Amino acid sequence: MARIAGIDLPPNKRIDVALTYIYGIGHKTADKICDDLSIDPTIKAKDLPDSDVGRIREYIEKDLSVEGDLRRQVSLNIKRLMDLGTYRGLRHRRGLPVRGQRTHTNARTRKGPRRQAVALVKKVV
């Protein structure tokens, strides 16, 4: 079983698809890795020779930021925005959509479950 960047690649997937299981590698980057290293993208991850696995591992370590380093970088960028007090940072801090989506309706994923409004009805005497 191929293990790259701390992730066990799924053995029955094509190598170009299996590489996308690594955080920070998408389809385009996986295709570029296969092209640069002259690896057939249709070969299954379990059939990949150990020498090719080593070449992929070296390529990723040398040229790409993936997994823990990338997650840390993203979280530091968000923290920097919050510390500066930018509009995007305030949206992150409040747990609201950051990229201009409407919040009057929808946005339930960011806002969480709906809270019922308590209607204070004043009795008329």
Side-chain angles (χ1 to χ4, degrees):
M1 177 179 296
R3 185 169 177 85
I4 299 173
I7 301 296
D8 291 327
L9 298 182
N12 293 324
K13 302 260 186 208
R14 293 168 29 145
I15 191 62
D16 61 342
V17 175
L19 285 173
T20 63
Y21 280 64
I22 300 172
Y23 182 80
I25 297 180
H27 292 290
K28 201 164 185 123
T29 308
D31 289 340
K32 184 176 181 337
I33 291 170
C34 290
D35 286 343
D36 289 350
L37 298 177
S38 302
I39 296 172
D40 180 22
T42 60
I43 193 170
K44 302 277 186 180
K46 64 182 177 185
D47 299 332
L48 198 65
D50 290 336
S51 61
D52 286 348
V53 172
R55 288 176 37 217
I56 291 172
R57 190 176 295 126
E58 289 173 13
Y59 182 90
I60 289 174
E61 287 175 3
K62 185 178 67 150
D63 295 339
L64 301 174
S65 175
V66 294
E67 283 300 324
D69 294 336
L70 184 59
R71 290 179 202 271
R72 190 175 314 104
Q73 186 178 351
V74 169
S75 67
L76 287 175
N77 287 342
I78 292 172
K79 186 178 180 326
R80 179 181 52 81
L81 290 172
M82 291 192 300
D83 291 344
L84 289 173
T86 62
Y87 180 77
R88 281 175 53 204
L90 294 176
R91 303 297 283 183
H92 275 291
R93 189 178 305 149
R94 293 179 183 164
L96 294 170
V98 176
R99 298 185 177 177
Q101 298 91 335
R102 66 180 292 137
T103 56
H104 179 70
T105 59
N106 304 331
R108 288 276 53 119
T109 301
R110 282 292 291 182
K111 291 167 72 172
R114 190 168 167 216
R115 294 186 296 270
Q116 294 293 342
V118 179
L120 300 175
V121 179
K122 188 176 181 181
K123 289 187 176 181
V124 177
V125 182

